[in-house]
Amino acid sequence: MEIRSWLVGLWALFWVFGSLSATSTCKLKAKFNLSGYKDVEKKKVVVGGMFSIHNRVASNDGNTSRLPNSLGCEGFNFRTFRWTQTMLFAISEINQRNDLLPKTDLGYVIYDSCFTISKAVEGTLTYLTGQDEAVPNYRCGNGPPLAALVGTGGSDLSIATARILGLYHFPQVSYSSTSTALKSDFQFPTFLRTIPNDEHQSTAMAQMVLRFGWNWVGTVAADDDYGKYGIKDFKEQVEAAGVCISFSETLPKVHSPEAIQRIVETVVDSTAKIIVVFSSDVDLSPLITELLQHNVTNRTWIASEAWVTSALINQPGVSSMLAGTLGFAVKKADIPGLQHHLLNLDPYADSLTEEFWETVFNCTLDYGRALRMAKQKAKEENGTISRVARGVPDGLCTGRESLAHLTNTYTDVSELRITYSVYKAVYAVAHALHNLEHCEHGKGPFVGKSCADITNFEPWQLMYYLKNVRFKVPNTGEEIFFDNRDVDGFYDIINWQINSEGKISFVTVGRYNGSAALEDRMSIMNDSIVWNNDMLEPPRSVCSENCQPGTRKGIRQGEPVCCFDCIPCTDGEISNTTNARECILCTGDFWSNDAHDACVPKIIEFLAFGEPLGITLIVISSFGALVTIVVGVVFLMHIGTPLVKANDALLSFTLLLSLMVTFLCSIVFLGEPQHWSCMTSQVALALGFALCLSSIMSKAAVLMLRAQALKAARARAKAAAKAAKAAAEAAANSGSPDVIVTSTQPFSDTNPSADSEVDVLTFGHQRAIAAVATLIQAIACTVWLIILPPHPVKNTSGQNIKIILECDEGSVVFICCIFAYDILLALLAFIFSFIARKLEDHFSEAKCLTFGMLVFFIVWISFVPAYLSTRGKFMVAVQIFAILASSFGLLACIFLPKCYIILIKPDRNKEEMMRPRAKPRDRISTGTSASLATTATEATIASTAIDE
């Protein structure tokens, strides 16, 4: 029974234990992908390190359908790799010393944060766990105790890691995290740093801006705690002093071309010549690259310590943009032995050094990979691979390459500033451990005056010694101690100057000591500063320049008093003093000049005789009048020829006279308008066109009536012929033996009945029509000149800057009636000539008149929109062009065909050519429009004699 009870109890115990185990099973949620350095074997204490050896994590495809992995890193950073090697060098140097931790060998665990918060957190958790698989709240393994973490680089990374380390009271000593946010004892109780707080740097930047009198600056900050807090403190201080902020832009942490382009546009558009930048070199580099492409110069940059000596920014070609930059840099120092350490790396020691070697020498240490690359290259080049197979493939590192022959950020030890801060951070931890190790029992700082054991101490115990450490840095003699976990704010003021080789050199032109009295903190050697574009005087950067004469001040609502707009005086207003509050209005015949600082007489505008346009119009008008005279002379010389006689010679000369009047009256429109010229130009134009159009109308009326008469004569003749034919057919059908005789007699020029039937209007009628029509226009113009004559006026409403001298019509009603009358004559002439256009003759004058009137209408219809869309002297020019074009059109269409026959084809200028042409269908001839005296038609008269 006892055995049975014992077995039952044992079973129950196992069941309870199994249940508890099942409920408390731990599961590893993730495995981090970290790279770095580690040496903890046979070490008494381990110091942690965190550096951004890479610039970013590798891109992720965003696929959530498979197990996510911790991303790798890319973008090798030589500068931070030098910082990492500095920590290794410092630990090695400490381990070799006999006066510092003589009985303790320091080990190290260093991780790459990849300039990313997530990687920094991964490294922190892994470091605290003590193994590759991070287990929060646990320290796995029984290795040496962890001392402190040196890192992690950027302020936002340190804020993330400091929150975690603060939970476990684990000390962290940063070498480059300067954000004022890390000053909080409540949030970051175990955070210390060997680099000054940005509170000092923001104050130093503000003092520099005020010192040089710049009250218009732009700001650019990284999108992290370092940039945001730093620029915030700076803006608060300068704005309190009356400085205006032109723009405040934020650099994206994730690559964004759109955001960078927007910032570039802001910088280009801004008038601020001073730009203050709080950013790391990694975040600022894309902006600098884009600004170089846009050739942005003539700006002075104020740099924070994170990039003022960065080789990533100081690339070839930046001198045109960044020369003259002023910035604040932490102390620099020479570290003996460091360069030897940097140049004597074993490329096969670890993966990071191997990657560095392959990157810096652009080769690979992997023979198989080099062979594959060589084969692929040979295949692409259509070569053979025999040499590759026999010898060393191209692209293979030997491992014996010399770093000493390189000139890059890694090997450059001329500006050891952040590097020196790393060096100080490692020594601060070492001295704290040294003090902890050499604590005298019974005199310790802890409960019961106890001391901590160097082989088994708690992080908070080391924190006590770190906060109270005080030591002198080897070789430099600088004394290091922490005041409220910070060090003194001491900076070198750096000026970027172009050296004799055309490269940027960092020249120290001043100092800033944040612990000194306010008036003694900054000392600058102004004569040593070389500004942008090699200027020796500081650039001006003010929110608003003084408003010069011609402008007035316009206050911007809601902006500081140093910012105002200089608003140009409007046209017609001036200001003749600096910073005028209001503009003065110019009155009368005065207008503001281009500078709006004086009232000047307005420009008087009219179409003058002597200007090129006036000369051109005079030449064209004279040419038209001369051509008209030449045509008149030709007609006069051939006045006895049939073609000239066939047309009323007097009416033709009257028409030529009217055209010459219209040509010459256009000249009267030129020149400064006078009373006589205003009256003469309009009246001469109206009478000239009235005489011209009435003459054409009388000619067209005769042609129209003749066409109607000839049409009627042909109809009667055709009817008579049909009647005679019908009578003859009837007689033939009746069987009469009498002989039928048919005779035809055409109308001749001597047939008075035909002439009287066709020539309803004689030459006298035509002349009377032209005279009466012109007389009506003359009477209307006389009344116009007596009652409301045209007169010159000054038009000041058309263009403010000009006084346009022009003719006022006097009465719109009168001028509309006068030119409406001319339009009526033109319409009648066109209608008459259009009706008579189909007369069958050898010379169709009706067609010439029709074409002439079509040209006339086209010109004046086009004139209306052109005239209404112009102003000033060009209105006169358009009117003259219309007059000349219509006159040339009438002259060419009416008289050019006649001159062609008279001069070129004299064989057609005969009497028989003036006779009518017979219609081939019915052999009935038709009249000619070229002759008022020739026969208009032929008639066939059939007579039948019946012998009874």
Side-chain angles (χ1 to χ4, degrees):
M1 284 296 293
E2 293 180 1
I3 295 176
R4 183 178 179 182
S5 299
W6 183 80
L7 291 174
V8 171
L10 183 62
W11 177 83
L13 181 63
F14 279 128
W15 182 84
V16 172
F17 179 78
S19 299
L20 292 174
S21 298
T23 58
S24 62
T25 300
C26 296
K27 183 179 181 181
L28 184 65
K29 300 300 293 182
K31 187 173 182 180
F32 301 142
N33 180 17
L34 297 169
S35 59
Y37 296 93
K38 186 174 183 180
D39 182 11
V40 297
E41 295 295 331
K42 298 180 181 180
K43 302 298 180 181
K44 187 178 289 188
V45 180
V46 174
V47 181
M50 193 83 69
F51 297 88
S52 300
I53 301 174
H54 291 85
N55 292 333
R56 58 191 173 273
V57 296
S59 59
N60 187 4
D61 59 4
N63 190 345
T64 58
S65 62
R66 60 172 181 264
L67 179 67
N69 296 319
S70 179
L71 299 175
C73 302
E74 59 185 12
F76 202 91
N77 191 320
F78 295 148
R79 189 185 185 203
T80 50
F81 186 68
R82 185 183 68 213
W83 301 348
T84 308
Q85 293 299 321
T86 301
M87 180 175 176
L88 297 177
F89 168 76
I91 292 176
S92 175
E93 188 178 65
I94 292 169
N95 287 338
Q96 295 174 11
R97 291 182 58 168
N98 296 323
D99 58 337
L100 183 62
L101 295 174
K103 300 178 181 180
T104 300
D105 275 346
L106 296 179
Y108 53 83
V109 175
I110 301 175
Y111 290 117
D112 180 11
S113 66
C114 301
F115 206 68
T116 309
I117 293 178
S118 60
K119 283 294 181 181
V121 172
E122 290 179 9
T124 302
L125 294 175
T126 304
Y127 175 64
L128 291 174
T129 300
Q131 62 182 23
D132 293 339
E133 296 179 358
V135 182
N137 293 332
Y138 285 91
R139 169 66 177 171
C140 302
N142 54 3
L146 305 179
L149 179 67
V150 176
T152 59
S155 294
D156 54 339
L157 306 184
S158 287
I159 288 174
T161 57
R163 293 187 188 278
I164 298 174
L165 295 174
L167 296 175
Y168 307 106
H169 307 284
F170 199 96
Q172 175 182 355
V173 184
S174 178
Y175 51 85
S176 65
S177 300
T178 60
S179 173
T180 56
L182 290 162
K183 190 177 180 180
S184 172
D185 285 321
F186 177 75
Q187 297 187 66
F188 313 103
T190 61
F191 179 82
L192 306 96
R193 50 189 160 194
T194 56
I195 190 170
N197 186 340
D198 274 341
E199 190 176 75
H200 299 292
Q201 186 169 205
S202 297
T203 302
M205 287 183 168
Q207 287 192 17
M208 177 177 287
V209 168
L210 298 177
R211 181 187 183 97
F212 289 107
W214 299 323
N215 67 0
W216 186 233
V217 300
T219 63
V220 177
D223 190 15
D224 53 25
D225 295 292
Y226 168 70
K228 291 177 182 177
Y229 283 98
I231 213 67
K232 175 178 175 291
D233 291 345
F234 166 79
K235 290 168 63 176
E236 288 176 352
Q237 295 183 56
V238 296
E239 287 178 339
V243 176
C244 301
I245 303 299
S246 171
F247 59 87
S248 187
E249 293 292 338
T250 302
L251 294 169
K253 294 295 289 184
V254 179
H255 181 60
S256 174
E258 296 79 11
I260 295 297
Q261 184 63 35
R262 177 180 52 79
I263 297 174
V264 170
E265 292 174 358
T266 301
V267 171
V268 172
D269 294 339
S270 174
T271 58
K273 302 301 181 184
I274 307 300
I275 302 176
V276 179
V277 181
F278 250 102
S279 171
S280 67
D281 54 352
V282 176
D283 291 330
L284 181 61
S285 180
L287 176 62
I288 297 299
T289 302
E290 190 67 22
L291 287 170
L292 283 174
Q293 293 180 358
H294 285 75
N295 194 27
V296 178
T297 57
N298 197 25
R299 304 291 194 280
T300 297
W301 301 79
I302 309 300
S304 63
E305 98 294 336
W307 68 275
V308 68
T309 58
S310 171
L312 182 63
I313 301 299
N314 184 19
Q315 295 289 332
V318 301
S319 58
S320 61
M321 184 179 74
L322 295 181
T325 295
L326 284 177
F328 297 87
V330 296
K331 285 183 178 180
K332 74 173 182 177
D334 293 328
I335 305 177
L338 176 60
Q339 187 174 29
H340 180 268
H341 171 82
L342 295 176
L343 299 179
N344 288 274
L345 296 183
D346 180 7
Y348 301 102
D350 53 80
S351 59
L352 272 180
T353 308
E354 180 179 345
E355 182 182 357
F356 162 75
W357 201 272
E358 293 179 343
T359 303
V360 76
F361 290 111
N362 192 25
C363 59
T364 178
L365 291 166
D366 187 341
Y367 180 84
R369 184 168 54 179
L371 185 61
R372 289 193 299 272
M373 291 172 57
K375 289 182 178 181
Q376 180 65 27
K377 182 178 180 181
K379 183 178 180 181
E380 292 175 356
E381 295 176 355
N382 296 323
T384 61
I385 62 173
S386 57
R387 186 183 65 84
V388 176
R390 293 194 305 269
V392 178
D394 295 335
L396 178 66
C397 298
T398 64
R400 295 186 298 273
E401 290 82 3
S402 175
L403 291 172
H405 295 155
L406 296 177
T407 302
N408 59 16
T409 311
Y410 174 76
T411 59
D412 183 10
V413 293
S414 61
E415 293 288 334
L416 299 180
R417 298 183 184 274
I418 303 298
T419 302
Y420 180 49
S421 184
V422 174
Y423 189 73
K424 290 186 290 185
V426 177
Y427 264 90
V429 175
H431 278 278
L433 288 170
H434 181 84
N435 294 338
L436 182 149
E437 184 180 23
H438 292 80
C439 174
E440 297 182 14
H441 293 284
K443 295 181 180 181
F446 307 117
V447 178
K449 296 184 178 181
S450 61
C451 294
D453 183 4
I454 190 67
T455 61
N456 188 20
F457 61 89
E458 294 297 327
W460 59 268
Q461 293 175 318
L462 179 62
M463 183 64 195
Y464 168 82
Y465 287 101
L466 270 172
K467 290 177 64 176
N468 295 281
V469 73
R470 183 181 288 265
F471 67 97
K472 289 186 177 181
V473 181
N475 305 308
T476 66
E478 180 185 359
E479 188 175 17
I480 300 297
F481 62 93
F482 295 105
D483 181 12
N484 194 22
R485 300 178 291 109
D486 280 330
V487 295
D488 289 339
F490 189 92
Y491 297 94
D492 290 335
I493 300 177
I494 303 298
N495 182 216
W496 288 33
Q497 299 181 8
I498 302 177
N499 57 26
S500 58
E501 298 177 357
K503 298 180 180 179
I504 292 290
S505 60
F506 305 124
V507 179
T508 301
V509 294
R511 300 279 190 275
Y512 181 84
N513 186 358
S515 59
L518 183 62
E519 62 276 7
D520 299 329
R521 290 181 180 178
M522 181 176 290
S523 61
I524 300 179
M525 297 175 288
N526 291 349
D527 296 339
S528 300
I529 300 176
V530 178
W531 302 97
N532 189 269
N533 296 330
D534 294 330
M535 295 173 57
L536 298 179
E537 293 296 326
R540 282 181 54 79
S541 185
V542 295
C543 182
S544 299
E545 296 286 354
N546 291 331
C547 290
Q548 300 301 317
T551 62
R552 65 176 179 86
K553 290 178 65 174
I555 302 301
R556 299 175 186 171
Q557 297 295 328
E559 294 193 17
V561 293
C562 65
C563 295
F564 51 84
D565 292 321
C566 291
I567 302 174
C569 294
T570 58
D571 291 339
E573 294 183 346
I574 66 163
S575 66
N576 50 15
T577 59
T578 302
N579 291 330
R581 303 291 299 180
E582 298 293 339
C583 294
I584 305 171
L585 180 65
C586 295
T587 57
D589 291 343
F590 290 88
W591 194 252
S592 58
N593 59 2
D594 292 339
H596 292 277
D597 57 2
C599 289
V600 296
K602 292 182 178 180
I603 300 172
I604 297 177
E605 181 181 88
F606 58 88
L607 188 55
F609 291 100
E611 62 180 290
L613 182 58
I615 295 174
T616 303
L617 295 175
I618 292 174
V619 171
I620 297 175
S621 301
S622 302
F623 176 74
L626 181 61
V627 171
T628 305
I629 294 173
V630 171
V631 173
V633 171
V634 170
F635 268 59
L636 186 61
M637 293 175 62
H638 298 80
I639 195 169
T641 60
L643 181 61
V644 177
K645 289 169 56 179
N647 296 273
D648 186 359
L650 180 60
L651 199 61
S652 296
F653 286 119
T654 303
L655 181 56
L656 289 172
L657 175 64
S658 65
L659 289 175
M660 188 169 63
V661 170
T662 58
F663 278 122
L664 295 178
C665 78
S666 61
I667 300 178
V668 186
F669 284 88
L670 301 174
E672 182 178 352
Q674 305 290 338
H675 285 280
W676 70 267
S677 62
C678 289
M679 291 187 294
T680 303
S681 59
Q682 298 292 351
V683 171
L685 178 64
L687 291 177
F689 273 131
L691 181 59
C692 175
L693 295 172
S694 60
S695 299
I696 295 174
M697 181 188 68
S698 62
K699 281 178 171 287
V702 171
L703 296 176
M704 179 191 68
L705 292 176
R706 183 183 303 135
Q708 297 295 331
L710 293 177
K711 184 178 180 181
R714 285 198 299 269
R716 288 194 300 272
K718 191 174 182 178
K722 287 183 178 180
K725 184 177 180 180
E729 290 178 354
N733 293 333
S734 63
S736 174
D738 296 328
V739 178
I740 300 175
V741 180
T742 301
S743 64
T744 63
Q745 181 182 357
F747 288 102
S748 65
D749 295 343
T750 59
N751 191 337
S753 62
D755 289 342
S756 61
E757 187 176 7
V758 175
D759 298 331
V760 178
L761 295 178
T762 64
F763 290 161
H765 293 130
Q766 298 179 73
R767 297 165 186 170
I769 291 174
V772 171
T774 305
L775 181 62
I776 294 174
Q777 184 71 295
I779 295 172
C781 289
T782 303
V783 174
W784 178 29
L785 293 178
I786 294 174
I787 298 177
L788 291 172
H791 57 277
V793 295
K794 294 181 178 180
N795 184 357
T796 59
S797 60
Q799 298 184 34
N800 292 329
I801 197 173
K802 297 178 181 179
I803 297 177
I804 301 173
L805 299 183
E806 59 187 14
C807 291
D808 184 89
E809 293 80 6
S811 172
V812 177
V813 175
F814 267 113
I815 195 169
C816 288
C817 292
I818 287 172
F819 285 102
Y821 180 73
D822 284 341
I823 294 174
L824 176 64
L825 294 178
L827 286 173
L828 292 175
F830 175 72
I831 293 172
F832 293 162
S833 61
F834 184 77
I835 294 174
R837 76 190 186 284
K838 291 186 178 180
L839 287 173
E840 293 85 0
D841 52 7
H842 293 282
F843 178 79
S844 178
E845 187 175 17
K847 290 182 180 180
C848 296
L849 295 177
T850 303
F851 281 120
M853 296 312 301
L854 280 176
V855 172
F856 183 86
F857 280 119
I858 291 172
V859 169
W860 286 100
I861 290 173
S862 303
F863 158 78
V864 174
Y867 184 79
L868 295 178
S869 62
T870 54
R871 293 289 181 271
K873 64 182 180 181
F874 296 104
M875 295 180 68
V876 179
V878 170
Q879 187 174 5
I880 294 175
F881 272 120
I883 296 171
L884 296 177
S886 57
S887 299
F888 274 114
L890 292 174
L891 180 64
C893 291
I894 296 175
F895 290 98
L896 184 61
K898 297 177 182 179
C899 291
Y900 174 76
I901 292 176
I902 293 173
L903 300 175
I904 308 301
K905 298 289 186 179
D907 56 321
R908 294 174 58 183
N909 191 6
K910 296 179 180 180
E911 187 69 28
E912 58 270 17
M913 296 303 295
M914 302 296 111
R915 296 181 184 278
R917 293 180 298 180
K919 273 190 172 184
R921 184 177 57 183
D922 52 9
R923 299 185 59 81
I924 298 175
S925 64
T926 59
T928 171
S929 61
S931 173
L932 298 177
T934 56
T935 303
T937 186
E938 290 184 356
T940 305
I941 303 175
S943 61
T944 307
I946 303 176
D947 187 2
E948 297 180 352

